[in-house]
Short mmCIF file of all heavy atoms in Angstrom, two decimals:
data_model
loop_
_atom_site.label_atom_id
_atom_site.label_comp_id
_atom_site.label_asym_id
_atom_site.label_seq_id
_atom_site.Cartn_x
_atom_site.Cartn_y
_atom_site.Cartn_z
N MET A 30 -25.37 -11.32 30.48
CA MET A 30 -23.93 -11.41 30.38
C MET A 30 -23.53 -11.75 28.99
O MET A 30 -22.52 -11.17 28.46
CB MET A 30 -23.45 -12.45 31.37
CG MET A 30 -21.97 -12.57 31.46
SD MET A 30 -21.33 -11.15 32.27
CE MET A 30 -19.62 -11.50 32.24
N LEU A 31 -24.25 -12.62 28.33
CA LEU A 31 -23.89 -13.02 26.93
C LEU A 31 -24.01 -11.83 25.97
O LEU A 31 -23.10 -11.67 25.14
CB LEU A 31 -24.77 -14.18 26.52
CG LEU A 31 -24.47 -14.76 25.08
CD1 LEU A 31 -23.04 -15.34 25.09
CD2 LEU A 31 -25.48 -15.81 24.73
N PRO A 32 -25.04 -11.03 26.04
CA PRO A 32 -25.08 -9.84 25.15
C PRO A 32 -23.90 -8.90 25.33
O PRO A 32 -23.37 -8.37 24.34
CB PRO A 32 -26.39 -9.15 25.41
CG PRO A 32 -27.29 -10.20 26.05
CD PRO A 32 -26.34 -11.10 26.77
N LEU A 33 -23.45 -8.70 26.56
CA LEU A 33 -22.35 -7.85 26.84
C LEU A 33 -21.05 -8.45 26.18
O LEU A 33 -20.28 -7.67 25.58
CB LEU A 33 -22.13 -7.68 28.33
CG LEU A 33 -20.94 -6.82 28.82
CD1 LEU A 33 -21.16 -5.42 28.28
CD2 LEU A 33 -20.78 -6.86 30.26
N ILE A 34 -20.89 -9.71 26.28
CA ILE A 34 -19.68 -10.39 25.68
C ILE A 34 -19.75 -10.24 24.20
O ILE A 34 -18.72 -9.96 23.51
CB ILE A 34 -19.58 -11.82 26.14
CG1 ILE A 34 -19.24 -11.88 27.65
CG2 ILE A 34 -18.58 -12.59 25.34
CD1 ILE A 34 -19.27 -13.29 28.22
N LEU A 35 -20.94 -10.43 23.62
CA LEU A 35 -21.10 -10.32 22.15
C LEU A 35 -20.79 -8.90 21.67
O LEU A 35 -20.16 -8.68 20.65
CB LEU A 35 -22.50 -10.75 21.74
CG LEU A 35 -22.81 -12.24 21.80
CD1 LEU A 35 -24.25 -12.51 21.48
CD2 LEU A 35 -21.84 -12.99 20.93
N VAL A 36 -21.30 -7.89 22.41
CA VAL A 36 -21.03 -6.49 22.05
C VAL A 36 -19.53 -6.18 22.15
O VAL A 36 -18.93 -5.55 21.25
CB VAL A 36 -21.83 -5.56 22.92
CG1 VAL A 36 -21.37 -4.09 22.77
CG2 VAL A 36 -23.29 -5.69 22.61
N LEU A 37 -18.85 -6.62 23.21
CA LEU A 37 -17.44 -6.38 23.35
C LEU A 37 -16.62 -7.13 22.27
O LEU A 37 -15.67 -6.59 21.73
CB LEU A 37 -16.97 -6.85 24.74
CG LEU A 37 -17.41 -5.98 25.89
CD1 LEU A 37 -17.00 -6.63 27.17
CD2 LEU A 37 -16.86 -4.60 25.76
N LEU A 38 -17.05 -8.34 21.89
CA LEU A 38 -16.40 -9.09 20.84
C LEU A 38 -16.58 -8.39 19.50
O LEU A 38 -15.62 -8.27 18.70
CB LEU A 38 -16.97 -10.51 20.77
CG LEU A 38 -16.34 -11.46 19.78
CD1 LEU A 38 -14.85 -11.64 20.12
CD2 LEU A 38 -17.02 -12.79 19.79
N LEU A 39 -17.77 -7.83 19.25
CA LEU A 39 -18.02 -7.13 18.03
C LEU A 39 -17.21 -5.83 17.95
O LEU A 39 -16.60 -5.51 16.92
CB LEU A 39 -19.53 -6.76 17.87
CG LEU A 39 -19.91 -6.02 16.68
CD1 LEU A 39 -19.72 -6.85 15.44
CD2 LEU A 39 -21.41 -5.56 16.77
N ALA A 40 -17.08 -5.16 19.08
CA ALA A 40 -16.27 -3.96 19.13
C ALA A 40 -14.79 -4.26 18.91
O ALA A 40 -14.09 -3.54 18.16
CB ALA A 40 -16.43 -3.24 20.48
N LEU A 41 -14.35 -5.39 19.47
CA LEU A 41 -12.95 -5.80 19.24
C LEU A 41 -12.68 -6.14 17.78
O LEU A 41 -11.64 -5.79 17.22
CB LEU A 41 -12.62 -7.00 20.15
CG LEU A 41 -11.19 -7.47 20.13
CD1 LEU A 41 -10.29 -6.42 20.73
CD2 LEU A 41 -11.11 -8.77 20.96
N ILE A 42 -13.61 -6.84 17.13
CA ILE A 42 -13.47 -7.23 15.72
C ILE A 42 -13.47 -5.97 14.87
O ILE A 42 -12.64 -5.82 13.96
CB ILE A 42 -14.59 -8.17 15.34
CG1 ILE A 42 -14.33 -9.53 15.96
CG2 ILE A 42 -14.63 -8.35 13.80
CD1 ILE A 42 -15.49 -10.49 15.80
N LEU A 43 -14.36 -5.03 15.12
CA LEU A 43 -14.44 -3.84 14.34
C LEU A 43 -13.19 -2.93 14.57
O LEU A 43 -12.69 -2.30 13.57
CB LEU A 43 -15.72 -3.02 14.65
CG LEU A 43 -17.00 -3.66 14.16
CD1 LEU A 43 -18.17 -2.83 14.62
CD2 LEU A 43 -17.01 -3.86 12.67
N PHE A 44 -12.66 -2.91 15.74
CA PHE A 44 -11.45 -2.15 16.02
C PHE A 44 -10.28 -2.74 15.23
O PHE A 44 -9.51 -2.04 14.67
CB PHE A 44 -11.15 -2.08 17.52
CG PHE A 44 -9.83 -1.44 17.81
CD1 PHE A 44 -9.65 -0.07 17.76
CD2 PHE A 44 -8.74 -2.22 18.17
CE1 PHE A 44 -8.47 0.51 18.04
CE2 PHE A 44 -7.53 -1.64 18.48
CZ PHE A 44 -7.40 -0.27 18.38
N GLY A 45 -10.19 -4.09 15.28
CA GLY A 45 -9.11 -4.78 14.57
C GLY A 45 -9.23 -4.56 13.05
O GLY A 45 -8.22 -4.36 12.40
N ALA A 46 -10.43 -4.64 12.55
CA ALA A 46 -10.63 -4.39 11.12
C ALA A 46 -10.27 -2.95 10.73
O ALA A 46 -9.65 -2.70 9.67
CB ALA A 46 -12.05 -4.72 10.72
N GLY A 47 -10.65 -2.03 11.59
CA GLY A 47 -10.32 -0.59 11.28
C GLY A 47 -8.86 -0.37 11.34
O GLY A 47 -8.33 0.36 10.45
N PHE A 48 -8.17 -0.95 12.27
CA PHE A 48 -6.69 -0.79 12.34
C PHE A 48 -6.01 -1.38 11.12
O PHE A 48 -5.10 -0.86 10.54
CB PHE A 48 -6.15 -1.44 13.64
CG PHE A 48 -4.67 -1.35 13.75
CD1 PHE A 48 -4.07 -0.18 14.08
CD2 PHE A 48 -3.88 -2.44 13.48
CE1 PHE A 48 -2.69 -0.06 14.17
CE2 PHE A 48 -2.50 -2.39 13.55
CZ PHE A 48 -1.93 -1.18 13.96
N ALA A 49 -6.52 -2.60 10.70
CA ALA A 49 -5.93 -3.27 9.52
C ALA A 49 -6.15 -2.43 8.28
O ALA A 49 -5.25 -2.33 7.44
CB ALA A 49 -6.54 -4.64 9.37
N LEU A 50 -7.37 -1.86 8.12
CA LEU A 50 -7.63 -1.07 6.96
C LEU A 50 -6.78 0.19 6.94
O LEU A 50 -6.26 0.59 5.91
CB LEU A 50 -9.13 -0.72 6.89
CG LEU A 50 -10.02 -1.86 6.49
CD1 LEU A 50 -11.48 -1.44 6.58
CD2 LEU A 50 -9.70 -2.32 5.11
N LYS A 51 -6.56 0.80 8.12
CA LYS A 51 -5.74 1.95 8.17
C LYS A 51 -4.30 1.64 7.80
O LYS A 51 -3.63 2.35 7.08
CB LYS A 51 -5.82 2.61 9.55
CG LYS A 51 -5.14 3.95 9.62
CD LYS A 51 -5.48 4.68 10.94
CE LYS A 51 -4.82 6.07 10.87
NZ LYS A 51 -5.18 6.84 11.97
N ALA A 52 -3.81 0.52 8.31
CA ALA A 52 -2.47 0.06 7.99
C ALA A 52 -2.30 -0.20 6.52
O ALA A 52 -1.30 0.11 5.90
CB ALA A 52 -2.10 -1.18 8.81
N LEU A 53 -3.36 -0.87 5.89
CA LEU A 53 -3.31 -1.10 4.46
C LEU A 53 -3.33 0.18 3.64
O LEU A 53 -2.66 0.24 2.59
CB LEU A 53 -4.46 -2.01 4.09
CG LEU A 53 -4.36 -3.48 4.50
CD1 LEU A 53 -5.65 -4.21 4.10
CD2 LEU A 53 -3.17 -4.10 3.80
N TRP A 54 -4.02 1.24 4.09
CA TRP A 54 -3.98 2.52 3.40
C TRP A 54 -2.54 3.08 3.44
O TRP A 54 -2.12 3.62 2.42
CB TRP A 54 -4.94 3.47 4.04
CG TRP A 54 -6.36 3.38 3.47
CD1 TRP A 54 -7.43 2.95 4.07
CD2 TRP A 54 -6.74 3.79 2.14
NE1 TRP A 54 -8.49 2.97 3.17
CE2 TRP A 54 -8.09 3.48 2.04
CE3 TRP A 54 -6.03 4.29 1.04
CZ2 TRP A 54 -8.77 3.74 0.82
CZ3 TRP A 54 -6.77 4.57 -0.12
CH2 TRP A 54 -8.09 4.29 -0.21
N TRP A 55 -1.88 2.97 4.59
CA TRP A 55 -0.52 3.50 4.69
C TRP A 55 0.42 2.72 3.78
O TRP A 55 1.30 3.30 3.10
CB TRP A 55 0.01 3.45 6.11
CG TRP A 55 -0.52 4.60 6.90
CD1 TRP A 55 -1.39 4.58 7.94
CD2 TRP A 55 -0.14 5.99 6.74
NE1 TRP A 55 -1.65 5.83 8.39
CE2 TRP A 55 -0.87 6.73 7.73
CE3 TRP A 55 0.69 6.64 5.91
CZ2 TRP A 55 -0.74 8.14 7.81
CZ3 TRP A 55 0.85 8.01 5.97
CH2 TRP A 55 0.11 8.76 6.96
N VAL A 56 0.23 1.39 3.68
CA VAL A 56 1.09 0.59 2.76
C VAL A 56 0.81 0.98 1.34
O VAL A 56 1.75 1.11 0.52
CB VAL A 56 0.82 -0.93 3.00
CG1 VAL A 56 1.40 -1.76 1.92
CG2 VAL A 56 1.26 -1.32 4.37
N ALA A 57 -0.46 1.23 0.95
CA ALA A 57 -0.81 1.61 -0.37
C ALA A 57 -0.21 2.97 -0.75
O ALA A 57 0.28 3.18 -1.85
CB ALA A 57 -2.34 1.64 -0.55
N VAL A 58 -0.17 3.91 0.18
CA VAL A 58 0.42 5.25 -0.04
C VAL A 58 1.90 5.10 -0.24
O VAL A 58 2.46 5.74 -1.16
CB VAL A 58 0.06 6.18 1.13
CG1 VAL A 58 0.83 7.46 1.04
CG2 VAL A 58 -1.44 6.51 1.10
N ILE A 59 2.56 4.30 0.58
CA ILE A 59 4.01 4.09 0.41
C ILE A 59 4.37 3.46 -0.90
O ILE A 59 5.28 3.90 -1.63
CB ILE A 59 4.58 3.28 1.61
CG1 ILE A 59 4.46 4.09 2.93
CG2 ILE A 59 5.96 2.82 1.37
CD1 ILE A 59 4.76 3.33 4.17
N VAL A 60 3.61 2.47 -1.32
CA VAL A 60 3.84 1.78 -2.60
C VAL A 60 3.60 2.80 -3.73
O VAL A 60 4.38 2.86 -4.73
CB VAL A 60 2.96 0.55 -2.75
CG1 VAL A 60 2.95 0.02 -4.17
CG2 VAL A 60 3.41 -0.54 -1.82
N LEU A 61 2.61 3.62 -3.62
CA LEU A 61 2.34 4.63 -4.68
C LEU A 61 3.46 5.62 -4.78
O LEU A 61 3.92 5.99 -5.92
CB LEU A 61 1.01 5.38 -4.41
CG LEU A 61 0.64 6.46 -5.36
CD1 LEU A 61 0.31 5.85 -6.70
CD2 LEU A 61 -0.57 7.23 -4.87
N VAL A 62 4.00 6.07 -3.70
CA VAL A 62 5.12 7.01 -3.69
C VAL A 62 6.37 6.37 -4.30
O VAL A 62 7.01 7.00 -5.20
CB VAL A 62 5.42 7.52 -2.25
CG1 VAL A 62 6.74 8.27 -2.19
CG2 VAL A 62 4.27 8.42 -1.76
N VAL A 63 6.66 5.12 -3.95
CA VAL A 63 7.80 4.43 -4.54
C VAL A 63 7.63 4.25 -6.04
O VAL A 63 8.52 4.46 -6.83
CB VAL A 63 8.08 3.10 -3.87
CG1 VAL A 63 9.11 2.28 -4.58
CG2 VAL A 63 8.49 3.37 -2.40
N TRP A 64 6.38 3.94 -6.46
CA TRP A 64 6.06 3.75 -7.82
C TRP A 64 6.26 5.04 -8.64
O TRP A 64 6.86 5.01 -9.71
CB TRP A 64 4.68 3.24 -7.96
CG TRP A 64 4.24 2.83 -9.38
CD1 TRP A 64 4.78 1.93 -10.15
CD2 TRP A 64 3.13 3.44 -10.07
NE1 TRP A 64 4.11 1.89 -11.38
CE2 TRP A 64 3.10 2.76 -11.32
CE3 TRP A 64 2.21 4.41 -9.73
CZ2 TRP A 64 2.11 3.10 -12.26
CZ3 TRP A 64 1.25 4.71 -10.70
CH2 TRP A 64 1.24 4.05 -11.90
N LEU A 65 5.76 6.14 -8.08
CA LEU A 65 5.93 7.40 -8.77
C LEU A 65 7.37 7.86 -8.78
O LEU A 65 7.82 8.44 -9.79
CB LEU A 65 5.04 8.45 -8.06
CG LEU A 65 3.56 8.31 -8.25
CD1 LEU A 65 2.82 9.33 -7.42
CD2 LEU A 65 3.19 8.42 -9.70
N LEU A 66 8.10 7.63 -7.70
CA LEU A 66 9.57 7.98 -7.73
C LEU A 66 10.28 7.16 -8.76
O LEU A 66 11.27 7.63 -9.33
CB LEU A 66 10.17 7.75 -6.35
CG LEU A 66 9.80 8.80 -5.29
CD1 LEU A 66 10.41 8.41 -3.93
CD2 LEU A 66 10.38 10.18 -5.70
N GLY A 67 9.87 5.97 -9.06
CA GLY A 67 10.52 5.14 -10.06
C GLY A 67 10.38 5.75 -11.43
O GLY A 67 11.29 5.64 -12.23
N PHE A 68 9.31 6.44 -11.70
CA PHE A 68 9.17 7.08 -13.03
C PHE A 68 10.06 8.26 -13.11
O PHE A 68 10.58 8.67 -14.17
CB PHE A 68 7.73 7.47 -13.29
CG PHE A 68 6.83 6.36 -13.66
CD1 PHE A 68 5.84 5.84 -12.85
CD2 PHE A 68 7.04 5.69 -14.86
CE1 PHE A 68 5.08 4.79 -13.18
CE2 PHE A 68 6.23 4.66 -15.26
CZ PHE A 68 5.20 4.21 -14.42
N VAL A 69 10.30 8.99 -11.98
CA VAL A 69 11.14 10.18 -12.03
C VAL A 69 12.62 9.77 -12.07
O VAL A 69 13.40 10.42 -12.79
CB VAL A 69 10.84 11.05 -10.73
CG1 VAL A 69 11.80 12.20 -10.67
CG2 VAL A 69 9.40 11.52 -10.76
N ALA A 70 12.99 8.75 -11.38
CA ALA A 70 14.40 8.39 -11.22
C ALA A 70 14.82 7.28 -12.17
O ALA A 70 15.77 6.51 -11.85
CB ALA A 70 14.67 7.97 -9.78
N ARG A 71 14.21 7.19 -13.32
CA ARG A 71 14.62 6.14 -14.29
C ARG A 71 15.99 6.50 -14.89
O ARG A 71 16.27 7.66 -15.10
CB ARG A 71 13.62 6.04 -15.41
CG ARG A 71 12.33 5.46 -14.97
CD ARG A 71 11.39 5.25 -16.13
NE ARG A 71 11.03 6.53 -16.71
CZ ARG A 71 10.11 6.69 -17.66
NH1 ARG A 71 9.52 5.67 -18.15
NH2 ARG A 71 9.81 7.90 -18.13
N SER A 72 16.76 5.48 -15.12
CA SER A 72 18.09 5.70 -15.75
C SER A 72 17.95 5.73 -17.24
O SER A 72 17.12 5.11 -17.83
CB SER A 72 19.06 4.63 -15.31
OG SER A 72 18.62 3.40 -15.82
N THR A 73 18.87 6.53 -17.88
CA THR A 73 18.84 6.58 -19.37
C THR A 73 19.98 5.73 -19.89
O THR A 73 21.06 5.59 -19.28
CB THR A 73 19.05 8.03 -19.80
OG1 THR A 73 20.25 8.57 -19.26
CG2 THR A 73 17.88 8.88 -19.40
N HIS A 74 19.78 5.11 -21.04
CA HIS A 74 20.77 4.33 -21.73
C HIS A 74 21.67 5.23 -22.57
O HIS A 74 21.37 6.43 -22.77
CB HIS A 74 20.10 3.30 -22.60
CG HIS A 74 19.59 2.09 -21.88
ND1 HIS A 74 20.40 1.23 -21.23
CD2 HIS A 74 18.34 1.66 -21.66
CE1 HIS A 74 19.65 0.29 -20.66
NE2 HIS A 74 18.38 0.54 -20.92
N SER A 75 22.74 4.73 -23.10
CA SER A 75 23.63 5.46 -23.92
C SER A 75 22.93 5.84 -25.24
O SER A 75 23.30 6.84 -25.86
CB SER A 75 24.89 4.70 -24.19
OG SER A 75 24.57 3.48 -24.83
N SER A 76 21.90 5.09 -25.63
CA SER A 76 21.19 5.40 -26.87
C SER A 76 20.25 6.55 -26.70
O SER A 76 19.69 7.10 -27.65
CB SER A 76 20.45 4.18 -27.37
OG SER A 76 19.49 3.78 -26.42
N GLY A 77 19.97 7.00 -25.47
CA GLY A 77 19.15 8.16 -25.21
C GLY A 77 17.75 7.85 -24.76
O GLY A 77 17.10 8.75 -24.19
N HIS A 78 17.25 6.66 -24.91
CA HIS A 78 15.90 6.36 -24.46
C HIS A 78 15.94 5.85 -23.07
O HIS A 78 16.91 5.31 -22.64
CB HIS A 78 15.20 5.38 -25.41
CG HIS A 78 15.70 3.97 -25.27
ND1 HIS A 78 16.88 3.49 -25.78
CD2 HIS A 78 15.09 2.90 -24.65
CE1 HIS A 78 17.02 2.25 -25.52
NE2 HIS A 78 15.99 1.84 -24.80
N ARG A 79 14.85 6.09 -22.37
CA ARG A 79 14.80 5.70 -20.98
C ARG A 79 14.31 4.23 -20.80
O ARG A 79 13.45 3.81 -21.51
CB ARG A 79 13.84 6.62 -20.22
CG ARG A 79 14.30 8.01 -20.15
CD ARG A 79 13.37 8.88 -19.29
NE ARG A 79 14.24 9.93 -18.72
CZ ARG A 79 14.11 10.43 -17.54
NH1 ARG A 79 13.19 9.98 -16.74
NH2 ARG A 79 14.90 11.34 -17.09
N ASN A 80 14.90 3.60 -19.88
CA ASN A 80 14.60 2.19 -19.60
C ASN A 80 13.55 2.14 -18.45
O ASN A 80 13.48 3.02 -17.58
CB ASN A 80 15.83 1.41 -19.24
CG ASN A 80 15.59 -0.05 -19.18
OD1 ASN A 80 14.56 -0.53 -19.70
ND2 ASN A 80 16.47 -0.78 -18.57
N ARG A 81 12.72 1.10 -18.47
CA ARG A 81 11.79 0.91 -17.35
C ARG A 81 12.55 0.40 -16.12
O ARG A 81 13.48 -0.37 -16.29
CB ARG A 81 10.77 -0.10 -17.72
CG ARG A 81 9.70 0.49 -18.69
CD ARG A 81 8.63 -0.52 -18.86
NE ARG A 81 8.86 -1.14 -20.19
CZ ARG A 81 8.19 -2.10 -20.69
NH1 ARG A 81 7.19 -2.64 -20.01
NH2 ARG A 81 8.43 -2.57 -21.88
N TRP A 82 12.19 0.87 -14.96
CA TRP A 82 12.86 0.49 -13.71
C TRP A 82 12.31 -0.83 -13.15
O TRP A 82 12.80 -1.35 -12.19
CB TRP A 82 12.76 1.59 -12.70
CG TRP A 82 11.35 1.82 -12.18
CD1 TRP A 82 10.37 2.45 -12.82
CD2 TRP A 82 10.84 1.41 -10.91
NE1 TRP A 82 9.26 2.46 -12.05
CE2 TRP A 82 9.49 1.84 -10.89
CE3 TRP A 82 11.35 0.73 -9.84
CZ2 TRP A 82 8.70 1.60 -9.82
CZ3 TRP A 82 10.55 0.50 -8.76
CH2 TRP A 82 9.27 0.92 -8.74
N TYR A 83 11.29 -1.37 -13.78
CA TYR A 83 10.79 -2.66 -13.34
C TYR A 83 10.92 -3.68 -14.49
O TYR A 83 11.09 -3.24 -15.63
CB TYR A 83 9.31 -2.54 -12.89
CG TYR A 83 8.42 -1.84 -13.88
CD1 TYR A 83 7.80 -2.52 -14.90
CD2 TYR A 83 8.22 -0.44 -13.76
CE1 TYR A 83 7.01 -1.86 -15.81
CE2 TYR A 83 7.43 0.22 -14.70
CZ TYR A 83 6.79 -0.51 -15.69
OH TYR A 83 6.04 0.11 -16.62
N ARG A 84 10.80 -4.95 -14.24
CA ARG A 84 11.04 -5.96 -15.26
C ARG A 84 9.83 -6.55 -15.85
O ARG A 84 9.91 -7.39 -16.76
CB ARG A 84 11.93 -7.07 -14.61
CG ARG A 84 13.26 -6.58 -14.29
CD ARG A 84 14.08 -7.76 -13.76
NE ARG A 84 15.44 -7.27 -13.53
CZ ARG A 84 16.50 -7.67 -14.18
NH1 ARG A 84 16.38 -8.54 -15.15
NH2 ARG A 84 17.68 -7.15 -13.92
N TRP A 85 8.64 -6.20 -15.42
CA TRP A 85 7.47 -6.82 -16.03
C TRP A 85 6.74 -5.94 -16.95
O TRP A 85 6.74 -4.88 -17.21
CB TRP A 85 6.46 -7.25 -14.96
CG TRP A 85 6.32 -6.34 -13.76
CD1 TRP A 85 7.02 -6.36 -12.68
CD2 TRP A 85 5.38 -5.26 -13.63
NE1 TRP A 85 6.66 -5.38 -11.83
CE2 TRP A 85 5.62 -4.67 -12.37
CE3 TRP A 85 4.41 -4.73 -14.42
CZ2 TRP A 85 4.92 -3.61 -11.94
CZ3 TRP A 85 3.68 -3.65 -13.96
CH2 TRP A 85 3.97 -3.06 -12.74
#
């Protein structure tokens, strides 16, 4: 009975880790798209040079 519980617990942990990693990949893709769109949609100043859309 104990080995069965350990196998089920291991499967549950691996499933949770896999779901978390997949969710983190989606978050990384969304952040990358927003970051790339920031370079495309930068505003220009009256002096003609482009300003950075972030402050750091």
Side-chain angles (χ1 to χ4, degrees):
M30 186 69 180
L31 184 63
L33 179 64
I34 292 174
L35 289 176
V36 168
L37 290 175
L38 185 61
L39 181 64
L41 185 65
I42 290 171
L43 291 177
F44 174 75
F48 178 76
L50 287 175
K51 189 169 183 173
L53 286 176
W54 272 111
W55 280 110
V56 169
V58 168
I59 291 170
V60 168
L61 178 66
V62 167
V63 169
W64 185 61
L65 290 174
L66 284 176
F68 283 111
V69 175
R71 291 185 293 187
S72 64
T73 57
H74 282 293
S75 59
S76 62
H78 74 284
R79 294 185 153 219
N80 191 16
R81 284 185 258 176
W82 67 284
Y83 50 87
R84 293 184 176 246
W85 38 272

